[in-house]
Amino acid sequence: MLPAVELYKALNKAQQQKLFDELQLAYDKLPKSTCKNCARCCSIGSPPAFFIEYINMYRYVRDHLKDRWQDFLSKSAEYFYLELVDVNQKCPFLGDDKRCDIYEVRPATCRFFGLLSKQEFEKGNLNQGLQYVAKKLWEDHQIKIPDEIANSKIEYCGDVSNSTGKPVPKKELGIIIGELAKLDAYFFPEQLVDQEGTMLPYPVHLMNTVLGDGARARKLKIMKEYADHQSRELLDPIVARAAKYEF
């Protein structure tokens, strides 16, 4: 969402106004949860995160995971372009051991997973959005989204347990979402935040910082090249450049 220069201005603002402390206070309202680390939920995609969560993740990776920069950047660039056309894409921050490499700064959407009751979780058509995107990409650009992706959805997981021993009401999670939205309003117009315009997956946030306008504008061409021919001719040079970025 912001190039590197603007991103560091936002980081400084968040630190000066102690917004990261407020972010942690919001997280602390959630009960502690544990699961069996099957990573099924992490293998479907990278969940959306507020901008304040992204810059919190950015500084964590910058300060603690320098040896992983190239890996994260390469995987995030691939995810940015191929999320909808490559069935093998998964969250770039999921390690080979099926554990989250940035667990300490995972977004609220990850923290919420498994806290709702099965009934509340399953309300609505959870993959309706993907089906609509698949339809529009074919109609407008003749890009075929694999059925496995278009029809995918995150299933309810009964293997998550939390410290309260009972589901968390959706209303309570909504209150926390509202608190995070207020933090994003420090950086963007409230109307944009209210429309969830600041909620993007971590790898998409990251590539909006790393890649230039021209590289991002080639997304549809790269998607079509891969969807039609499984070719990475356009993609690989961009991934190589992205991997050289320094946090």
Side-chain angles (χ1 to χ4, degrees):
M1 185 169 288
L2 290 181
V5 173
E6 296 300 320
L7 178 76
Y8 272 91
K9 290 181 181 178
L11 269 170
N12 289 334
K13 182 175 184 177
Q15 290 167 341
Q16 291 170 2
Q17 301 198 25
K18 300 186 183 303
L19 301 186
F20 295 127
D21 292 341
E22 292 188 40
L23 174 63
Q24 188 59 51
L25 287 173
Y27 287 159
D28 288 344
K29 293 178 181 178
L30 294 168
K32 304 297 182 183
S33 62
T34 58
C35 68
K36 295 182 178 179
N37 295 313
C38 69
R40 288 196 307 271
C41 57
C42 306
S43 299
I44 292 178
S46 189
F50 282 102
F51 179 75
I52 185 66
E53 296 181 292
Y54 162 56
I55 59 176
N56 188 44
M57 179 279 286
Y58 184 99
R59 68 169 187 158
Y60 179 84
V61 171
R62 179 196 65 189
D63 296 344
H64 301 289
L65 297 172
K66 187 173 183 178
D67 60 327
R68 300 295 310 280
W69 286 1
Q70 186 173 3
D71 184 44
F72 291 153
L73 289 163
S74 297
K75 289 180 179 178
S76 292
E78 289 187 3
Y79 185 93
F80 177 79
Y81 290 103
L82 302 182
E83 173 195 6
L84 294 176
V85 292
D86 178 8
V87 297
N88 296 311
Q89 287 299 313
K90 56 187 178 182
C91 181
F93 301 99
L94 178 65
D96 293 335
D97 59 356
K98 293 186 177 181
R99 293 181 179 274
C100 178
D101 289 326
I102 55 166
Y103 187 79
E104 290 82 356
V105 288
R106 66 199 187 282
T109 44
C110 289
R111 296 167 192 262
F112 288 175
F113 189 70
L115 297 183
L116 290 172
S117 67
K118 188 172 188 293
Q119 181 181 6
E120 284 202 302
F121 179 85
E122 293 182 343
K123 284 181 180 176
N125 186 345
L126 297 179
N127 70 334
Q128 187 176 22
L130 274 176
Q131 292 170 344
Y132 175 77
V133 169
K135 181 175 180 289
K136 290 296 291 179
L137 282 172
W138 177 253
E139 290 176 349
D140 296 346
H141 306 286
Q142 288 72 58
I143 296 175
K144 178 68 171 72
I145 304 304
D147 291 341
E148 185 177 340
I149 293 176
N151 298 323
S152 67
K153 66 178 181 180
I154 299 178
E155 301 288 346
Y156 176 78
C157 182
D159 292 331
V160 178
S161 58
N162 72 72
S163 54
T164 69
K166 57 185 179 181
V168 177
K170 191 173 184 178
K171 183 178 179 180
E172 290 186 19
L173 300 185
I175 291 172
I176 294 174
I177 286 291
E179 292 176 1
L180 301 187
K182 286 182 180 178
L183 296 179
D184 268 17
Y186 279 87
F187 308 101
F188 303 102
E190 284 190 26
Q191 184 178 4
L192 178 64
V193 177
D194 289 343
Q195 294 172 349
E196 298 186 344
T198 59
M199 286 194 76
L200 300 169
Y202 274 166
V204 177
H205 274 299
L206 183 56
M207 287 303 106
N208 282 341
T209 296
V210 173
L211 300 175
D213 292 341
R216 294 199 307 275
R218 304 188 79 183
K219 184 171 183 174
L220 289 173
K221 277 189 176 182
I222 291 171
M223 288 173 64
K224 185 163 178 59
E225 179 188 61
Y226 189 88
D228 289 350
H229 309 292
Q230 299 291 292
S231 171
R232 297 170 53 106
E233 185 177 349
L234 293 173
L235 173 62
D236 283 341
I238 295 177
V239 171
R241 289 198 298 272
K244 295 178 182 179
Y245 177 84
E246 295 192 358
F247 284 76

